[in-house]
Amino acid sequence: MSKIILTEQSSAASTPSSGKVAVYCHTDGKLRSVDDAGAVSIYTTVFGTEFYEYDSDGEDSTTSTSYQTKLTGSPTLTTGQTYRIGFSAKGRSTGVCRPDFEFSINGDKTWTYTKNLVADGDPDMIGGFHYYSPGSTGAKTLTIKYKCAVASGTTYISEAKIEVWRVS
């Protein structure tokens, strides 16, 4: 059985028994392990170290069959890292519009949603998430768009949100 030592104020780890590992929290808040030879490893977490949030709560509408932009965000993302990008909005329609919603990264569609929403019905929550590892460091354009698939009604969109979390 391994010996695990957790302290909040310790500046040195207790010596584990042969072949065991001691893990403790140092005063700087980092987790460390010490093997039986005295080698120290420092563990850091990257989840959430970069976080971006964009939102547009108000309701917008269109009768167009061409995509209209509801929300755009431009986070600076780093090559070699992985990000979880979440996106959501409320959508509804009147008439026989068949609303389309799209999420894109740098103009490349990653998600498209078309639904025959009940005319004048309650809005549906739409959204999803995408894991993304950028090919180059820099600002990336994240966009939520909407349109009518059929030109005989109106598409409405509100409460649009984009969240970006670094996960590795």
Side-chain angles (χ1 to χ4, degrees):
M1 185 168 132
S2 294
K3 183 176 183 182
I4 298 176
I5 302 163
L6 297 173
T7 66
E8 292 185 20
Q9 300 299 319
S10 177
S11 61
S14 301
T15 304
S17 58
S18 180
K20 308 298 180 191
V21 175
V23 178
Y24 68 100
C25 185
H26 196 269
T27 54
D28 63 5
K30 294 180 182 175
L31 292 177
R32 292 172 164 69
S33 70
V34 181
D35 65 19
D36 54 337
V40 177
S41 297
I42 299 174
Y43 300 94
T44 58
T45 182
V46 297
F47 181 82
T49 56
E50 294 177 49
F51 175 73
Y52 303 90
E53 181 179 28
Y54 308 94
D55 57 38
S56 176
D57 290 333
E59 187 173 70
D60 293 322
S61 64
T62 188
T63 57
S64 176
T65 56
S66 298
Y67 277 113
Q68 308 298 309
T69 299
K70 170 61 176 170
L71 177 62
T72 299
S74 298
T76 299
L77 306 181
T78 306
T79 302
Q81 311 306 322
T82 301
Y83 299 86
R84 181 189 184 278
I85 303 172
F87 46 92
S88 62
K90 282 186 177 179
R92 68 182 182 93
S93 69
T94 58
V96 193
C97 180
R98 277 197 26 236
D100 275 3
F101 302 94
E102 174 186 287
F103 175 75
S104 63
I105 300 173
N106 288 338
D108 297 326
K109 283 190 253 183
T110 62
W111 179 88
T112 303
Y113 178 80
T114 305
K115 184 169 184 184
N116 289 324
L117 295 173
V118 177
D120 301 319
D122 291 331
D124 280 356
M125 200 66 193
I126 55 173
F129 63 91
H130 180 75
Y131 286 94
Y132 179 69
S133 296
S136 62
T137 297
K140 308 301 175 196
T141 303
L142 313 176
T143 309
I144 295 176
K145 295 181 179 182
Y146 65 106
K147 70 176 184 175
C148 284
V150 178
S152 58
T154 304
T155 292
Y156 298 87
I157 188 170
S158 62
E159 298 180 35
K161 178 177 246 114
I162 299 172
E163 291 183 348
V164 180
W165 300 66
R166 181 175 167 198
V167 295
S168 69

